[in-house]
Amino acid sequence: MNKTILITGATSGLGKAIAEKFAAAGYNCIITGRRKERLQALAAALSSSNNRIKILPLAYDVSKKEEVFNAINNLSEEWRNIDVLVNNAGLAAGRDPFDEALLHDWETMIDTNVKGLLYLSKAIIPFMKARKKGHIINIGSTAGKEVYKDGNVYCATKFAVNAISQAQRIDLLPHRIKVTCINPGAVDTEFSMVRFKGDEQKAKAVYEGYEPLHAEDIASTVFYCATLPAHVCINDLVMTCLSQANSFYTYKE
Ligand code: NDP
Ligand code: 8X3
């Protein structure tokens, strides 16, 4: 029987690449995000690439508690057998000094990166507990390892993802649920376009002068972590491209 994965933020970047990787490996996929057209297009592409799997597109906003619990609680019995939950949906909004940053940006990041991850985990853990197995993979960041200038609340949300991952790992031990936190450095996705609110020049500059990670690199790592033997769990993993050492140091040519 196919395994099932639920991926948040599958309409773009890391989430889309993770969906493609697991679909190719025969997983049934619940793909989620707010942009319905993108979800439908991805669902069609994944289904046609592998006719032995099922794809369920679910459009909701992870930061809206009611939408999350409605979507998850309305899953049919068959779709509740979630083996892997990837809490990936997230964003940075702005990159400004603490005293100049917008409250609205802070709230959006906290609501999405922290509360969204909590809501999804809370909604899905009962299904995993009932089956006495499951794997939660949280996407953190190098920004959750070192705070960098003007990163303030984005970094804080990723520090929170790290803390929540540690807490989940401890408290879910009796239920045989694995918890992995994967912390990538710069990955060339729509992340910077979102962060700089459509400013293409600023977004492009982030990835100039070196080869950043690609979304597929993260997808392969998520897949590796998710397919280890049942008794093995990668707890915490930091990955960067060759040109990046940590949040502060990127060697650009
Ligand atoms: P993208 O902007 O390419 O993708 C972000 C995804 O998150 C989209 O699918 C978007 O879907 C979804 N999303 C955002 N807000 C919401 C919301 N409120 N409800 C539901 N879905 C939402 O960025 P990445 O793929 O790069 O980012 C994915 C994760 O990786 C984030 O958590 C990010 O912090 C993290 N990360 C990224 C790095 C990078 O350099 N790119 C490095 C380290 C970590 P939609 O808009 O359709 O809702
Ligand atoms: C995304 C990577 O360096 O922009 O989490 O914070 S960075």
Side-chain angles (χ1 to χ4, degrees):
M1 207 174 76
N2 293 351
K3 289 193 169 179
T4 298
I5 184 169
L6 187 152
I7 305 141
T8 68
T11 55
S12 168
L14 274 52
K16 182 164 182 272
I18 294 166
E20 287 166 348
K21 179 79 186 174
F22 280 80
Y27 277 68
N28 295 329
C29 300
I30 306 176
I31 51 173
T32 80
R34 289 166 303 183
R35 286 169 288 183
K36 282 193 185 137
E37 327 71 54
R38 285 201 187 197
L39 281 179
Q40 296 299 348
L42 180 62
L46 297 179
S47 301
S48 71
S49 69
N50 185 345
N51 60 15
R52 295 180 311 280
I53 59 168
K54 291 182 184 165
I55 307 293
L56 178 64
L58 274 187
Y60 60 83
D61 184 330
V62 293
S63 70
K64 304 231 163 80
K65 199 167 31 186
E66 293 75 20
E67 287 190 26
V68 171
F69 284 96
N70 271 342
I72 303 304
N73 290 337
N74 281 324
L75 286 174
S76 65
E77 281 304 319
E78 174 196 16
W79 281 107
R80 289 180 177 209
N81 293 328
I82 295 167
D83 296 284
V84 185
L85 161 64
V86 184
N87 278 315
N88 161 75
L91 80 163
R95 186 172 175 151
D96 305 294
F98 191 90
D99 51 315
E100 290 172 22
L102 302 178
L103 272 182
H104 179 260
D105 285 345
W106 285 358
E107 283 162 354
T108 304
M109 290 187 278
I110 292 168
D111 289 351
T112 311
N113 303 357
V114 181
K115 291 189 184 172
L117 181 147
L118 292 174
Y119 298 153
L120 256 296
S121 303
K122 195 80 173 151
I124 286 167
I125 285 168
F127 304 154
M128 292 182 168
K129 272 173 76 174
R131 300 172 72 218
K132 271 211 156 294
K133 63 176 179 177
H135 194 165
I136 300 174
I137 301 184
N138 295 324
I139 303 296
S141 169
T142 46
K145 298 292 181 182
E146 301 103 8
V147 176
Y148 55 81
K149 184 171 160 21
D150 300 339
N152 45 72
V153 171
Y154 177 66
C155 295
T157 64
K158 292 300 181 177
F159 270 75
V161 171
N162 266 288
I164 293 164
S165 302
Q166 290 176 43
Q168 288 178 333
R169 192 173 308 116
I170 296 164
D171 293 347
L172 299 176
L173 276 182
H175 307 294
R176 305 189 61 79
I177 297 172
K178 296 185 188 184
V179 179
T180 298
C181 188
I182 295 179
N183 302 279
V187 195
D188 185 5
T189 63
E190 293 175 18
F191 176 85
S192 292
M193 276 295 277
V194 172
R195 173 172 233 173
F196 296 116
K197 302 169 183 177
D199 185 329
E200 227 168 291
Q201 250 181 328
K202 273 192 183 173
K204 251 180 94 187
V206 174
Y207 309 109
E208 268 166 7
Y210 69 108
E211 183 177 2
L213 289 170
H214 306 297
E216 293 71 22
D217 301 323
I218 318 304
S220 299
T221 306
V222 171
F223 187 74
Y224 170 76
C225 292
T227 52
L228 286 165
H231 68 290
V232 181
C233 180
I234 301 283
N235 293 342
D236 191 58
L237 190 153
V238 180
M239 60 185 293
T240 65
C241 68
L242 180 58
S243 301
Q244 185 175 10
N246 58 26
S247 271
F248 309 123
Y249 298 104
T250 300
Y251 184 77
K252 296 195 176 194
E253 287 179 304

